[in-house]
Amino acid sequence: MFCPLHSATPLISMSLRSAKKNRTCPVLRGCMDPEPHGIYGKYEKQSTQGPDMSLSKLIKIVNECCPNVASSLQIRIKLMAEGELKDMEQFFDELSDSFSGTEPDVHKTSVVGLFLRHMILAYNKLSFSQVYKLYTSLQNYSRCDKDTEEEDEEEQELGEEREMEKEDLDCPIGEEELACSGPLSQKQAEYFLSHQASLLKNDESKALSPVLLQKELNNLLKFNPDFAEAHYLSYLNSLRVQDVFSSTHSLLHYFDRLILTGAESKSNGDEGYGRSLRYAALNLAALHCRFGHYHQAELALQEAIRIAQESSDHVCLQHCLSWLYILKSRKGEDNSVFLEHSVKKAVHFGLPRAFAGKTADKLMDALKDADLLHWKHSLSELIDISTAQKTAIWRLYGRSTMALQQAQMLLSINTLDSVHVSVQQNNTESFAVVLCHLADLHAEQGCFSAASEILKHLKERFPPNSQHAKLWMLFDQKIQFDRAMNDGKYHITESLVTGITALNSIEGLYRKAVVLKAQNQTAEAHKILQVLLTHCQKVKNIEMVIRVLLSLAELYWRSSCHPVALPVLLQALALSREYRLQYLASETVLNLAFSQLMLGIPEQALNILHMAIEPILAHGAVLDKGRAMFLVAKCQVASAASLTPHKKTEALESAIVNLNEAKTYFCKVDCKEQIRDILYMQARLYNSLGKIQERNKCAMLFRQIHQELPCHGISLLIRL
């Protein structure tokens, strides 16, 4: 197959004849040395590992080191392309003469000499029809470069807008060169596929757009339909745009081609079409599971298990067992048996899933042991995944400081894989998860501008059409929802709930119930929470179960059913402690203290508050810190009724200090409703203490906020 890039290298050598006499050209010295130097060394580093470059670009590279050679090269190609077939034949005849004579132009053992001899031998083996095809390809190569130059001139006249559109389509591997290079050689096609696959995995924003990449893949498959790697890249490209039909079609074609190439191997061996068949079924099951086709996924998984059992492939069976666990979880069925078997088998085969199912206090030790293996074998991708997992686990346990530390460590780590010169870090799902958690942690502390900057970076790093964009979209919607709720703008939350539901149906349903609860629509909120509780208990979403139970308890408070809320809160506390969810346990204790305050035992409420307030102040969100200090102040005021006048005054003054601290927290997140309640309570306390000036100031601020916010008829005493 003709490669203009390879044919151009002999042209450089032939142009050295005139420069050889004075021995001043650096290219000549490179041809005589056993190692490439000068322009050839530079040319080899830049161009051999990529598609064919355009003629103008080739001339430009040569011209940077030796203008005379560049001029001779351009003339020679022009004579060959615009001449006849005999001109190209004459070129190869002269090429053979470069090795003859007492002082040959090129040394036979040099890198250029070996390459030229290889070119001569390849040309001599060509038939007449192949020689003519080579000649027409050279003409097309020269003509394509002229067309490209004319198009560039026309595009420059269109203005800056056309140039910006062209920049959006630019790609590191050279899209313009691909468009006019014709069929690629086997090595060039393999490099193109591996490079694009690496970009899709590590930095999707720098890969070709889905439409353009599919166009190039179709061009490759047109000349080589049995190119299995091209079918697999087509499968990955189809997943980017959620194309079910095309992704399934390409995946099946990929394994069909693997079977054709491995037909001579044993069907039940580690290699060959037997292995391809079982992993084809496994990948097909994973594909259907991703798109929510659970019935088709189960059928494909059963086929993979059957073939793996016949082949005694225990590793494949372990992967099938893991996917069975995931499939049963998605369908809401009992999967504890699969998890137990998965853990036992994973320990035996040394798979990273071995820590799945362990108790919470041993989970971090298991992750540490797995990390030792990852670092030992330089498995950078698994290191990134493990760090992202630990970030999410620490947040689940309620340790925001540890989660922040893990997130910062992953962002500052030097990856072990060299992805691309322009890629500083891997743009994988692990980095997307960590950045999303980082944005959420900043938003929880009231640093909304910092959270916005992180989300802006996520939008640039993971464009909306990329496969990991849903992660930052969900976090962005949740942060906006929390800000609107804190500000009392419930009309804004309706569109946000719709967006959250589209990305996560369970989270969206819960947020809808939260809005209804805030609007004092108790019956509708209770109905949604009951449905959500049943579903989450079925699929074992423990975190959401606890959050729903806490919301149900708050509904019972607003209905003055405080005794009914206690069993619900105790159930939430038991689940939190069973699964070591410390932060949710602290929130539950906070709610239990509020229930005791409502039941008229503020002293007991103050006692149990000491169990919850320390973790909340250390790791909690700013809003939760404010709620905790507000509750402490309420309990202090309620318990001061039975104290002596002197101690009562001290208790009320201490309550005012705690209210000021709570107000500081609420101001960070712009929670105006809570600030209004604090100002009202402070005005009452200042009035009891006889501080008229402070009372009037708090009353004035309360009136200003009260006029801005609508009142939903919720009493201060029944709001936590």
Side-chain angles (χ1 to χ4, degrees):
M1 186 178 293
F2 172 69
C3 178
L5 177 62
H6 293 167
S7 67
T9 307
L11 298 176
I12 300 177
S13 303
M14 293 301 298
S15 302
L16 301 178
R17 294 176 180 269
S18 59
K20 182 177 180 299
K21 296 180 180 179
N22 51 21
R23 301 281 181 172
T24 58
C25 181
V27 184
L28 181 63
R29 293 192 296 272
C31 296
M32 301 298 293
D33 294 336
E35 296 294 335
H37 298 288
I39 187 174
Y40 181 75
K42 179 180 179 181
Y43 174 76
E44 180 189 43
K45 293 179 182 179
Q46 291 185 356
S47 307
T48 55
Q49 297 297 324
D52 300 335
M53 62 173 61
S54 62
L55 178 59
S56 58
K57 186 175 181 180
L58 175 64
I59 298 298
K60 181 180 179 182
I61 292 177
V62 178
N63 189 63
E64 291 177 356
C65 295
C66 190
N68 293 333
V69 174
S71 177
S72 301
L73 174 64
Q74 192 170 12
I75 294 173
R76 170 68 72 168
I77 292 182
K78 183 178 180 181
L79 290 175
M80 291 171 58
E82 297 180 357
E84 299 178 355
L85 185 59
K86 63 179 182 180
D87 296 321
M88 189 179 72
E89 294 179 353
Q90 182 183 359
F91 164 75
F92 279 98
D93 292 338
E94 294 177 357
L95 191 63
S96 302
D97 297 337
S98 60
F99 296 100
S100 60
T102 56
E103 293 185 8
D105 297 330
V106 181
H107 198 279
K108 291 183 178 181
T109 60
S110 66
V111 176
V112 176
L114 292 173
F115 181 77
L116 294 182
R117 291 165 63 190
H118 177 74
M119 292 289 296
I120 295 170
L121 290 174
Y123 178 78
N124 292 333
K125 292 180 181 180
L126 296 179
S127 62
F128 177 77
S129 60
Q130 291 174 327
V131 171
Y132 182 75
K133 184 178 180 181
L134 176 65
Y135 175 68
T136 55
S137 298
L138 179 63
Q139 288 181 322
N140 293 333
Y141 177 62
S142 178
R143 189 183 306 113
C144 180
D145 185 73
K146 292 181 180 179
D147 295 340
T148 304
E149 292 179 356
E150 293 176 359
E151 291 177 1
D152 292 341
E153 293 176 358
E154 293 177 359
E155 288 179 356
Q156 291 177 359
E157 295 176 357
L158 293 177
E160 296 181 357
E161 183 178 356
R162 181 70 179 93
E163 291 178 359
M164 292 180 63
E165 293 177 0
K166 181 181 175 183
E167 290 176 1
D168 293 338
L169 294 175
D170 281 346
C171 179
I173 57 94
E175 299 176 14
E176 297 176 2
E177 298 160 11
L178 284 172
C180 64
S181 61
L184 300 179
S185 65
Q186 182 74 15
K187 292 293 184 181
Q188 291 172 331
E190 289 176 357
Y191 173 77
F192 169 74
L193 294 176
S194 63
H195 184 73
Q196 287 298 311
S198 176
L199 289 177
L200 287 181
K201 173 188 172 185
N202 299 304
D203 193 357
E204 189 178 343
S205 61
K206 288 184 170 55
L208 289 175
S209 63
V211 176
L212 191 55
L213 178 56
Q214 193 61 46
K215 179 181 178 181
E216 298 299 335
L217 290 173
N218 293 338
N219 186 41
L220 285 176
L221 293 172
K222 178 181 178 182
F223 294 97
N224 190 358
D226 294 332
F227 204 168
E229 289 78 6
H231 286 288
Y232 190 76
L233 186 58
S234 178
Y235 155 70
L236 295 178
N237 191 45
S238 299
L239 282 181
R240 299 167 67 188
V241 293
Q242 303 295 312
D243 189 344
V244 182
F245 175 78
S246 298
S247 57
T248 308
H249 179 79
S250 299
L251 183 63
L252 294 176
H253 273 282
Y254 166 67
F255 283 101
D256 287 344
R257 268 59 185 181
L258 285 184
I259 293 172
L260 292 174
T261 57
E264 298 179 358
S265 303
K266 296 181 179 180
S267 60
N268 292 331
D270 292 336
E271 302 296 334
Y273 62 83
R275 185 175 187 273
S276 299
L277 278 175
R278 54 184 179 267
Y279 278 98
L282 180 62
N283 278 270
L284 188 61
L287 178 63
H288 283 302
C289 190
R290 174 170 181 171
F291 287 115
H293 306 154
Y294 301 131
H295 179 66
Q296 294 89 332
E298 189 171 4
L299 292 176
L301 204 54
Q302 290 174 359
E303 180 70 12
I305 293 172
R306 183 187 63 80
I307 303 175
Q309 287 175 341
E310 294 176 355
S311 307
S312 299
D313 189 344
H314 298 287
V315 175
C316 183
L317 284 173
Q318 169 61 18
H319 286 295
C320 294
L321 196 60
S322 302
W323 274 105
L324 268 178
Y325 171 78
I326 296 173
L327 190 60
K328 295 295 182 182
S329 300
R330 298 282 182 88
K331 296 172 67 176
E333 299 178 4
D334 184 22
N335 54 9
S336 56
V337 178
F338 298 108
L339 182 59
E340 293 175 3
H341 287 295
S342 179
V343 172
K344 293 177 183 177
K345 292 295 182 182
V347 172
H348 178 72
F349 293 109
L351 296 178
R353 283 181 208 83
F355 60 82
K358 287 182 177 290
T359 55
D361 55 338
K362 296 181 180 179
L363 181 58
M364 288 300 170
D365 289 336
L367 283 171
K368 181 193 68 176
D369 296 337
D371 285 343
L372 290 176
L373 293 174
H374 299 160
W375 282 104
K376 181 179 179 181
H377 299 286
S378 300
L379 303 175
S380 60
E381 182 178 0
L382 295 181
I383 293 171
D384 296 345
I385 293 174
S386 177
T387 308
Q389 285 177 338
K390 284 187 282 189
T391 303
I393 290 171
W394 280 122
R395 287 212 67 197
L396 185 63
Y397 287 167
R399 303 297 181 89
S400 60
T401 305
M402 293 300 300
L404 184 62
Q405 181 191 43
Q406 292 294 322
Q408 295 286 0
M409 185 175 70
L410 180 58
L411 295 177
S412 60
I413 195 173
N414 292 324
T415 178
L416 301 177
D417 293 335
S418 179
V419 182
H420 192 267
V421 291
S422 61
V423 180
Q424 301 297 328
Q425 290 177 320
N426 292 348
N427 284 2
T428 57
E429 186 178 10
S430 303
F431 281 86
V433 169
V434 164
L435 286 171
C436 287
H437 281 298
L438 202 60
D440 202 24
L441 285 169
H442 280 83
E444 285 182 353
Q445 300 304 318
C447 304
F448 295 113
S449 59
S452 299
E453 288 295 324
I454 297 174
L455 288 171
K456 181 181 178 181
H457 176 70
L458 276 165
K459 294 175 184 178
E460 296 174 355
R461 200 165 183 175
F462 303 95
N465 60 345
S466 61
Q467 56 181 331
H468 304 313
K470 289 184 178 180
L471 292 171
W472 63 259
M473 288 180 180
L474 179 60
F475 275 82
D476 188 17
Q477 295 283 313
K478 288 165 66 175
I479 291 173
Q480 292 184 45
F481 177 89
D482 292 336
R483 294 193 67 179
M485 288 295 297
N486 294 341
D487 205 15
K489 299 177 180 179
Y490 304 136
H491 61 284
I492 300 178
T493 59
E494 295 179 0
S495 60
L496 296 173
V497 166
T498 304
I500 294 174
T501 306
L503 298 169
N504 189 322
S505 57
I506 295 178
E507 188 71 30
L509 198 60
Y510 172 74
R511 301 278 173 157
K512 183 178 181 181
V514 169
V515 175
L516 292 174
K517 180 184 65 177
Q519 294 175 341
N520 208 23
Q521 301 181 29
T522 308
E524 293 82 356
H526 185 269
K527 185 185 298 183
I528 293 176
L529 289 174
Q530 286 292 348
V531 173
L532 189 58
L533 179 63
T534 304
H535 175 74
C536 292
Q537 288 174 338
K538 183 179 179 181
V539 299
K540 299 186 183 303
N541 188 345
I542 304 301
E543 182 186 10
M544 184 58 72
V545 167
I546 298 172
R547 291 164 62 187
V548 170
L549 290 174
L550 295 179
S551 296
L552 283 172
E554 187 173 350
L555 285 180
Y556 294 142
W557 297 336
R558 298 192 177 190
S559 302
S560 301
C561 302
H562 303 290
V564 181
L566 287 177
V568 176
L569 292 173
L570 292 174
Q571 181 184 358
L573 183 61
L575 287 172
S576 302
R577 290 179 173 175
E578 179 183 355
Y579 289 91
R580 310 308 200 270
L581 307 180
Q582 182 185 11
Y583 190 70
L584 288 175
S586 300
E587 278 198 47
T588 307
V589 173
L590 200 68
N591 284 268
L592 279 171
F594 184 76
S595 295
Q596 291 180 335
L597 175 63
M598 293 295 99
L599 292 172
I601 45 176
E603 295 82 4
Q604 184 64 25
L606 274 175
N607 291 334
I608 68 170
L609 267 177
H610 295 292
M611 300 168 53
I613 197 166
E614 183 177 347
I616 289 178
L617 293 179
H619 302 283
V622 171
L623 182 61
D624 293 332
K625 293 178 183 179
R627 292 169 63 220
M629 297 308 300
F630 195 9
L631 181 57
V632 170
K634 289 181 182 179
C635 293
Q636 287 176 332
V637 173
S639 60
S642 58
L643 299 178
T644 60
H646 177 68
K647 291 187 176 181
K648 181 178 180 180
T649 302
E650 292 181 353
L652 295 182
E653 289 178 349
S654 177
I656 291 175
V657 173
N658 290 329
L659 287 173
N660 284 328
E661 184 176 353
K663 184 168 62 175
T664 303
Y665 290 134
F666 289 135
C667 288
K668 286 185 178 180
V669 291
D670 198 23
C671 192
K672 294 183 179 179
E673 285 191 352
Q674 299 281 8
I675 296 174
R676 177 181 61 182
D677 295 343
I678 288 177
L679 290 171
Y680 173 79
M681 191 170 181
Q682 281 184 325
R684 295 288 300 270
L685 293 178
Y686 281 129
N687 184 67
S688 300
L689 294 173
K691 298 182 178 181
I692 306 302
Q693 185 176 0
E694 290 83 353
R695 181 202 65 184
N696 293 341
K697 181 179 179 181
C698 291
M700 180 189 67
L701 295 174
F702 167 80
R703 181 177 177 82
Q704 291 176 355
I705 299 178
H706 186 68
Q707 290 176 345
E708 296 178 9
L709 298 177
C711 184
H712 297 286
I714 302 174
S715 172
L716 166 66
L717 294 178
I718 62 172
R719 180 190 290 123
L720 175 56

